Amino acid sequence: MTATVQTNNGPGTDHLLDIRAKSLRWIVAQEGSRQSYAIPFAFHKLGQLRLMCTDVWCGRARHILKRGPAGARALAGRYESHLLPEQVVAFNLRGIVDKAIYHFRRNHLNPEGHAAQFIRFGKWFSKRVTRHLARIELDPARDCYFGFNTNALETMEHLKKRGIFTLLDQVDPGKVEEDLVLEESARWPGWEKAPGRLPQAYWDRLKAEWDLADVVLVNSQWSCDALLQQGVPRNKIIIVPLAIDLSLDRETRPVHPSGPLKVLWLGSLILRKGIQYLVEAARRLENSNIEFIFAGPVGLSRDVVRSFPSNMKLLGRVTRDEIHQIYRSAHVFVLPTLSDGFAITQLEAMANGLPVITTPNCGQVVTHGVDGLIVPPRDAEALAEAIVRLDRDREALYQMSYNSLSTISRYDLPSNARMINNYIVPYRSNPALYRA
């Protein structure tokens, strides 16, 4: 962890922290259904969620939408049954219209167009949240705000005037990630639309949020190092890994890897995720008894997709209600990412008993040789060797699968909310600890 909680108050300190944490009330402002509303749900489980503000919330109509096409089923996922109606404030009409317009335009936008959309929506959402919060009573001794980058600036400006503690979740490594993607686009010309650079206005908004927030939260050491390079003070950053709800009804047994080894990729097929190196690894293994399953939207050119080796199967975009079955159809999960703020798919895969092959450029979940394998980024040969290793040693694969189910128990909600509280309580008592 980057910012260390230093209490040094003798016996009973942890108990005192728990008591103080229970008095906190969190207001979460969240666009979309990030990690299936994991943060507001985690605070709710601790009895600390006062309010969640969001752009789209699907209530009664979700039962009808669940029976519809993929787009309707995706909209039905904008809901978390455990949250109480009085805890949720949604701006549905504008939110749905905005998302629909962006959905149809996004494939035709350049980086400047995407950035303009992010900034415009972020300002609208933040101002809409601010208008709501301005009408309610807030207690600086108890209330805390949790917002996400690009969507929080105006709200934090308002709350700082009212003495409310503000936490900003920076979900990605920022400009460091952009630099990596541009390098990769030059290495693999013609694979995907050249990303270009986001305009300075986008980075100016992020910096203003970083400067204004009391604490900036990231989900991995990888993101922490990236923000340090971009000038965020070390003592202002806290690292809190993501977590998932393990109370869901899912199979929790190790895989039994018989027959052809089935290697799963789930996520967007884009250069940032290292998909090009997995394709090259699959090409090297085309004559082996190994099958590759790719699930997720394809962000690559048609010519590249047509050149994929024959041992790759593309499922295309999948909805949340299909994911569990896809995980259970595989033996190994592969994440050769070049840059991820965390990559929650690691946790989802492990929760379904899959060992994970990944790189160091994301959340540090995998222990090499225990519940998966860690390979260098941008290394198709090392990736292929790791896959072959598990194909040839099915006993080791089974043991890693078994161990993954043990590992995932450390990432159950609300572990991340408790960790946030453990940082915030001493901060509120003595902010100088984080400003040293």
Side-chain angles (χ1 to χ4, degrees), residues 19 32 51 56 72 85 111 113 147 177 182 191 217-218 242 260 263 270 273-274 291 295 302 343 368 378:
I19 293 175
L51 193 67
V56 177
E177 185 170 276
L182 287 170
W191 272 62
L217 182 151
V218 295
L242 298 180
V263 179
I270 54 177
K273 294 282 190 177
E291 299 176 0
R302 292 182 181 179
H368 183 73
R378 293 172 164 168

PDB file of all heavy atoms in Angstrom, residues 19 32 51 56 72 85 111 113 147 177 182 191 217-218 242 260 263 270 273-274 291 295 302 343 368 378:
ATOM      1  N   ILE A  19     -15.320   1.303  15.405  1.00  0.00           N
ATOM      2  CA  ILE A  19     -16.405   2.131  15.923  1.00  0.00           C
ATOM      3  C   ILE A  19     -16.544   3.414  15.107  1.00  0.00           C
ATOM      4  O   ILE A  19     -17.633   3.827  14.718  1.00  0.00           O
ATOM      5  CB  ILE A  19     -16.168   2.456  17.412  1.00  0.00           C
ATOM      6  CG1 ILE A  19     -16.276   1.172  18.261  1.00  0.00           C
ATOM      7  CG2 ILE A  19     -17.167   3.504  17.902  1.00  0.00           C
ATOM      8  CD1 ILE A  19     -15.933   1.378  19.720  1.00  0.00           C
ATOM      9  N   GLY A  32     -22.800   4.342 -14.830  1.00  0.00           N
ATOM     10  CA  GLY A  32     -22.761   2.954 -15.277  1.00  0.00           C
ATOM     11  C   GLY A  32     -22.816   1.963 -14.129  1.00  0.00           C
ATOM     12  O   GLY A  32     -23.054   2.312 -12.975  1.00  0.00           O
ATOM     13  N   LEU A  51     -26.315   7.021   0.114  1.00  0.00           N
ATOM     14  CA  LEU A  51     -26.923   7.350  -1.167  1.00  0.00           C
ATOM     15  C   LEU A  51     -26.031   6.902  -2.305  1.00  0.00           C
ATOM     16  O   LEU A  51     -24.810   6.960  -2.191  1.00  0.00           O
ATOM     17  CB  LEU A  51     -27.127   8.864  -1.249  1.00  0.00           C
ATOM     18  CG  LEU A  51     -28.003   9.432  -2.354  1.00  0.00           C
ATOM     19  CD1 LEU A  51     -29.442   9.021  -2.142  1.00  0.00           C
ATOM     20  CD2 LEU A  51     -27.880  10.959  -2.370  1.00  0.00           C
ATOM     21  N   VAL A  56     -28.220   5.734 -14.964  1.00  0.00           N
ATOM     22  CA  VAL A  56     -29.340   4.892 -15.404  1.00  0.00           C
ATOM     23  C   VAL A  56     -29.548   3.789 -14.381  1.00  0.00           C
ATOM     24  O   VAL A  56     -28.606   3.093 -14.002  1.00  0.00           O
ATOM     25  CB  VAL A  56     -29.070   4.273 -16.795  1.00  0.00           C
ATOM     26  CG1 VAL A  56     -30.221   3.356 -17.193  1.00  0.00           C
ATOM     27  CG2 VAL A  56     -28.861   5.359 -17.841  1.00  0.00           C
ATOM     28  N   ALA A  72     -31.136  -5.004 -24.650  1.00  0.00           N
ATOM     29  CA  ALA A  72     -32.127  -4.900 -23.579  1.00  0.00           C
ATOM     30  C   ALA A  72     -31.639  -5.615 -22.320  1.00  0.00           C
ATOM     31  O   ALA A  72     -31.807  -5.126 -21.195  1.00  0.00           O
ATOM     32  CB  ALA A  72     -33.458  -5.491 -24.044  1.00  0.00           C
ATOM     33  N   PRO A  85     -34.591   1.170  -2.519  1.00  0.00           N
ATOM     34  CA  PRO A  85     -35.037   2.243  -3.423  1.00  0.00           C
ATOM     35  C   PRO A  85     -34.688   3.633  -2.909  1.00  0.00           C
ATOM     36  O   PRO A  85     -34.318   4.517  -3.690  1.00  0.00           O
ATOM     37  CB  PRO A  85     -36.558   2.031  -3.496  1.00  0.00           C
ATOM     38  CG  PRO A  85     -36.744   0.574  -3.208  1.00  0.00           C
ATOM     39  CD  PRO A  85     -35.681   0.220  -2.220  1.00  0.00           C
ATOM     40  N   PRO A 111     -10.218  10.362 -31.232  1.00  0.00           N
ATOM     41  CA  PRO A 111      -9.944  10.581 -29.808  1.00  0.00           C
ATOM     42  C   PRO A 111     -10.485  11.904 -29.272  1.00  0.00           C
ATOM     43  O   PRO A 111     -10.973  11.962 -28.139  1.00  0.00           O
ATOM     44  CB  PRO A 111      -8.418  10.536 -29.747  1.00  0.00           C
ATOM     45  CG  PRO A 111      -8.026   9.631 -30.869  1.00  0.00           C
ATOM     46  CD  PRO A 111      -9.008   9.932 -31.964  1.00  0.00           C
ATOM     47  N   GLY A 113     -13.134  13.415 -30.296  1.00  0.00           N
ATOM     48  CA  GLY A 113     -14.575  13.255 -30.146  1.00  0.00           C
ATOM     49  C   GLY A 113     -14.939  12.467 -28.908  1.00  0.00           C
ATOM     50  O   GLY A 113     -15.900  12.801 -28.196  1.00  0.00           O
ATOM     51  N   GLY A 147     -16.370   9.390  -5.608  1.00  0.00           N
ATOM     52  CA  GLY A 147     -16.648   9.638  -7.018  1.00  0.00           C
ATOM     53  C   GLY A 147     -15.599   9.020  -7.912  1.00  0.00           C
ATOM     54  O   GLY A 147     -14.558   8.541  -7.447  1.00  0.00           O
ATOM     55  N   GLU A 177      -0.907   4.994 -19.638  1.00  0.00           N
ATOM     56  CA  GLU A 177      -1.569   3.975 -20.451  1.00  0.00           C
ATOM     57  C   GLU A 177      -1.725   4.439 -21.893  1.00  0.00           C
ATOM     58  O   GLU A 177      -1.525   3.648 -22.831  1.00  0.00           O
ATOM     59  CB  GLU A 177      -2.935   3.640 -19.848  1.00  0.00           C
ATOM     60  CG  GLU A 177      -3.659   2.516 -20.544  1.00  0.00           C
ATOM     61  CD  GLU A 177      -4.880   2.074 -19.757  1.00  0.00           C
ATOM     62  OE1 GLU A 177      -4.728   1.247 -18.831  1.00  0.00           O
ATOM     63  OE2 GLU A 177      -5.987   2.563 -20.060  1.00  0.00           O
ATOM     64  N   LEU A 182      -0.257   3.908 -27.742  1.00  0.00           N
ATOM     65  CA  LEU A 182       0.293   4.504 -28.952  1.00  0.00           C
ATOM     66  C   LEU A 182       1.526   3.741 -29.433  1.00  0.00           C
ATOM     67  O   LEU A 182       1.711   3.531 -30.641  1.00  0.00           O
ATOM     68  CB  LEU A 182       0.644   5.970 -28.695  1.00  0.00           C
ATOM     69  CG  LEU A 182      -0.545   6.922 -28.590  1.00  0.00           C
ATOM     70  CD1 LEU A 182      -0.096   8.285 -28.094  1.00  0.00           C
ATOM     71  CD2 LEU A 182      -1.265   7.047 -29.916  1.00  0.00           C
ATOM     72  N   TRP A 191      -3.920  -3.110 -37.160  1.00  0.00           N
ATOM     73  CA  TRP A 191      -4.700  -4.012 -36.312  1.00  0.00           C
ATOM     74  C   TRP A 191      -5.977  -3.349 -35.804  1.00  0.00           C
ATOM     75  O   TRP A 191      -7.025  -3.976 -35.753  1.00  0.00           O
ATOM     76  CB  TRP A 191      -3.845  -4.505 -35.140  1.00  0.00           C
ATOM     77  CG  TRP A 191      -3.071  -5.745 -35.494  1.00  0.00           C
ATOM     78  CD1 TRP A 191      -2.124  -5.860 -36.458  1.00  0.00           C
ATOM     79  CD2 TRP A 191      -3.216  -7.041 -34.907  1.00  0.00           C
ATOM     80  NE1 TRP A 191      -1.653  -7.152 -36.512  1.00  0.00           N
ATOM     81  CE2 TRP A 191      -2.300  -7.902 -35.564  1.00  0.00           C
ATOM     82  CE3 TRP A 191      -4.002  -7.558 -33.891  1.00  0.00           C
ATOM     83  CZ2 TRP A 191      -2.176  -9.249 -35.238  1.00  0.00           C
ATOM     84  CZ3 TRP A 191      -3.870  -8.901 -33.548  1.00  0.00           C
ATOM     85  CH2 TRP A 191      -2.968  -9.728 -34.229  1.00  0.00           C
ATOM     86  N   LEU A 217      -7.879   7.195  -4.978  1.00  0.00           N
ATOM     87  CA  LEU A 217      -7.845   5.744  -4.836  1.00  0.00           C
ATOM     88  C   LEU A 217      -7.523   5.107  -6.180  1.00  0.00           C
ATOM     89  O   LEU A 217      -8.104   5.465  -7.202  1.00  0.00           O
ATOM     90  CB  LEU A 217      -9.189   5.237  -4.322  1.00  0.00           C
ATOM     91  CG  LEU A 217      -9.358   3.738  -4.064  1.00  0.00           C
ATOM     92  CD1 LEU A 217     -10.392   3.516  -2.945  1.00  0.00           C
ATOM     93  CD2 LEU A 217      -9.795   2.964  -5.298  1.00  0.00           C
ATOM     94  N   VAL A 218      -6.597   4.151  -6.162  1.00  0.00           N
ATOM     95  CA  VAL A 218      -6.324   3.309  -7.327  1.00  0.00           C
ATOM     96  C   VAL A 218      -6.439   1.857  -6.880  1.00  0.00           C
ATOM     97  O   VAL A 218      -6.432   1.558  -5.685  1.00  0.00           O
ATOM     98  CB  VAL A 218      -4.930   3.582  -7.938  1.00  0.00           C
ATOM     99  CG1 VAL A 218      -4.849   4.983  -8.511  1.00  0.00           C
ATOM    100  CG2 VAL A 218      -3.826   3.354  -6.906  1.00  0.00           C
ATOM    101  N   LEU A 242      -9.917  -4.395  -6.101  1.00  0.00           N
ATOM    102  CA  LEU A 242     -11.338  -4.643  -6.313  1.00  0.00           C
ATOM    103  C   LEU A 242     -11.763  -5.926  -5.594  1.00  0.00           C
ATOM    104  O   LEU A 242     -10.925  -6.710  -5.145  1.00  0.00           O
ATOM    105  CB  LEU A 242     -11.633  -4.749  -7.807  1.00  0.00           C
ATOM    106  CG  LEU A 242     -11.340  -3.508  -8.641  1.00  0.00           C
ATOM    107  CD1 LEU A 242     -11.674  -3.759 -10.111  1.00  0.00           C
ATOM    108  CD2 LEU A 242     -12.102  -2.305  -8.120  1.00  0.00           C
ATOM    109  N   PRO A 260      -9.222 -31.571 -24.954  1.00  0.00           N
ATOM    110  CA  PRO A 260      -8.435 -30.416 -25.406  1.00  0.00           C
ATOM    111  C   PRO A 260      -8.439 -29.310 -24.355  1.00  0.00           C
ATOM    112  O   PRO A 260      -9.471 -29.024 -23.743  1.00  0.00           O
ATOM    113  CB  PRO A 260      -9.157 -29.970 -26.683  1.00  0.00           C
ATOM    114  CG  PRO A 260      -9.930 -31.155 -27.136  1.00  0.00           C
ATOM    115  CD  PRO A 260     -10.325 -31.891 -25.898  1.00  0.00           C
ATOM    116  N   VAL A 263      -8.676 -22.538 -23.489  1.00  0.00           N
ATOM    117  CA  VAL A 263      -8.105 -21.301 -22.978  1.00  0.00           C
ATOM    118  C   VAL A 263      -9.078 -20.162 -23.271  1.00  0.00           C
ATOM    119  O   VAL A 263      -9.466 -19.950 -24.421  1.00  0.00           O
ATOM    120  CB  VAL A 263      -6.737 -21.028 -23.632  1.00  0.00           C
ATOM    121  CG1 VAL A 263      -6.155 -19.714 -23.124  1.00  0.00           C
ATOM    122  CG2 VAL A 263      -5.778 -22.187 -23.366  1.00  0.00           C
ATOM    123  N   ILE A 270      -8.662  -5.718 -27.996  1.00  0.00           N
ATOM    124  CA  ILE A 270      -7.970  -4.482 -28.351  1.00  0.00           C
ATOM    125  C   ILE A 270      -6.494  -4.625 -28.002  1.00  0.00           C
ATOM    126  O   ILE A 270      -6.109  -5.487 -27.209  1.00  0.00           O
ATOM    127  CB  ILE A 270      -8.570  -3.261 -27.624  1.00  0.00           C
ATOM    128  CG1 ILE A 270      -8.602  -3.494 -26.105  1.00  0.00           C
ATOM    129  CG2 ILE A 270      -9.956  -2.936 -28.158  1.00  0.00           C
ATOM    130  CD1 ILE A 270      -9.112  -2.319 -25.299  1.00  0.00           C
ATOM    131  N   LYS A 273      -5.135  -4.593 -24.302  1.00  0.00           N
ATOM    132  CA  LYS A 273      -5.316  -5.825 -23.534  1.00  0.00           C
ATOM    133  C   LYS A 273      -4.316  -6.910 -23.919  1.00  0.00           C
ATOM    134  O   LYS A 273      -4.327  -8.003 -23.341  1.00  0.00           O
ATOM    135  CB  LYS A 273      -6.735  -6.349 -23.741  1.00  0.00           C
ATOM    136  CG  LYS A 273      -7.825  -5.456 -23.168  1.00  0.00           C
ATOM    137  CD  LYS A 273      -7.930  -5.614 -21.666  1.00  0.00           C
ATOM    138  CE  LYS A 273      -9.164  -4.916 -21.103  1.00  0.00           C
ATOM    139  NZ  LYS A 273      -9.312  -5.129 -19.648  1.00  0.00           N
ATOM    140  N   GLY A 274      -3.460  -6.635 -24.913  1.00  0.00           N
ATOM    141  CA  GLY A 274      -2.457  -7.619 -25.313  1.00  0.00           C
ATOM    142  C   GLY A 274      -3.004  -8.731 -26.173  1.00  0.00           C
ATOM    143  O   GLY A 274      -2.379  -9.798 -26.302  1.00  0.00           O
ATOM    144  N   GLU A 291      -7.575 -25.296 -27.568  1.00  0.00           N
ATOM    145  CA  GLU A 291      -8.602 -24.455 -28.167  1.00  0.00           C
ATOM    146  C   GLU A 291      -8.641 -23.108 -27.456  1.00  0.00           C
ATOM    147  O   GLU A 291      -8.534 -23.039 -26.227  1.00  0.00           O
ATOM    148  CB  GLU A 291      -9.976 -25.132 -28.066  1.00  0.00           C
ATOM    149  CG  GLU A 291     -10.052 -26.470 -28.784  1.00  0.00           C
ATOM    150  CD  GLU A 291     -11.401 -27.155 -28.576  1.00  0.00           C
ATOM    151  OE1 GLU A 291     -12.258 -26.559 -27.868  1.00  0.00           O
ATOM    152  OE2 GLU A 291     -11.584 -28.263 -29.095  1.00  0.00           O
ATOM    153  N   ALA A 295     -14.187 -14.157 -25.981  1.00  0.00           N
ATOM    154  CA  ALA A 295     -15.511 -13.592 -25.732  1.00  0.00           C
ATOM    155  C   ALA A 295     -15.379 -12.102 -25.457  1.00  0.00           C
ATOM    156  O   ALA A 295     -14.608 -11.699 -24.579  1.00  0.00           O
ATOM    157  CB  ALA A 295     -16.169 -14.285 -24.542  1.00  0.00           C
ATOM    158  N   ARG A 302     -11.183  -5.979 -39.771  1.00  0.00           N
ATOM    159  CA  ARG A 302     -11.725  -7.222 -40.339  1.00  0.00           C
ATOM    160  C   ARG A 302     -10.629  -8.070 -40.958  1.00  0.00           C
ATOM    161  O   ARG A 302     -10.654  -9.301 -40.869  1.00  0.00           O
ATOM    162  CB  ARG A 302     -12.793  -6.890 -41.379  1.00  0.00           C
ATOM    163  CG  ARG A 302     -14.051  -6.267 -40.783  1.00  0.00           C
ATOM    164  CD  ARG A 302     -15.092  -5.997 -41.863  1.00  0.00           C
ATOM    165  NE  ARG A 302     -16.294  -5.387 -41.316  1.00  0.00           N
ATOM    166  CZ  ARG A 302     -17.337  -5.029 -42.040  1.00  0.00           C
ATOM    167  NH1 ARG A 302     -17.308  -5.201 -43.374  1.00  0.00           N
ATOM    168  NH2 ARG A 302     -18.400  -4.485 -41.465  1.00  0.00           N
ATOM    169  N   ALA A 343      -8.330  -5.102 -13.631  1.00  0.00           N
ATOM    170  CA  ALA A 343      -8.832  -6.251 -14.392  1.00  0.00           C
ATOM    171  C   ALA A 343      -9.594  -7.200 -13.479  1.00  0.00           C
ATOM    172  O   ALA A 343      -9.077  -8.192 -12.977  1.00  0.00           O
ATOM    173  CB  ALA A 343      -7.709  -6.988 -15.122  1.00  0.00           C
ATOM    174  N   HIS A 368       2.516 -16.535  -8.764  1.00  0.00           N
ATOM    175  CA  HIS A 368       3.099 -17.368  -9.822  1.00  0.00           C
ATOM    176  C   HIS A 368       3.331 -18.792  -9.332  1.00  0.00           C
ATOM    177  O   HIS A 368       3.953 -19.027  -8.295  1.00  0.00           O
ATOM    178  CB  HIS A 368       4.415 -16.755 -10.288  1.00  0.00           C
ATOM    179  CG  HIS A 368       5.053 -17.496 -11.431  1.00  0.00           C
ATOM    180  ND1 HIS A 368       4.551 -17.440 -12.709  1.00  0.00           N
ATOM    181  CD2 HIS A 368       6.140 -18.309 -11.475  1.00  0.00           C
ATOM    182  CE1 HIS A 368       5.315 -18.180 -13.511  1.00  0.00           C
ATOM    183  NE2 HIS A 368       6.280 -18.718 -12.778  1.00  0.00           N
ATOM    184  N   ARG A 378       3.926  -8.298 -23.676  1.00  0.00           N
ATOM    185  CA  ARG A 378       4.484  -8.207 -25.030  1.00  0.00           C
ATOM    186  C   ARG A 378       5.392  -9.394 -25.353  1.00  0.00           C
ATOM    187  O   ARG A 378       6.396  -9.246 -26.031  1.00  0.00           O
ATOM    188  CB  ARG A 378       5.261  -6.908 -25.212  1.00  0.00           C
ATOM    189  CG  ARG A 378       4.413  -5.647 -25.179  1.00  0.00           C
ATOM    190  CD  ARG A 378       5.277  -4.399 -25.172  1.00  0.00           C
ATOM    191  NE  ARG A 378       4.502  -3.199 -25.507  1.00  0.00           N
ATOM    192  CZ  ARG A 378       4.947  -1.963 -25.351  1.00  0.00           C
ATOM    193  NH1 ARG A 378       6.161  -1.752 -24.860  1.00  0.00           N
ATOM    194  NH2 ARG A 378       4.199  -0.931 -25.673  1.00  0.00           N
TER     195      ARG A 378
END
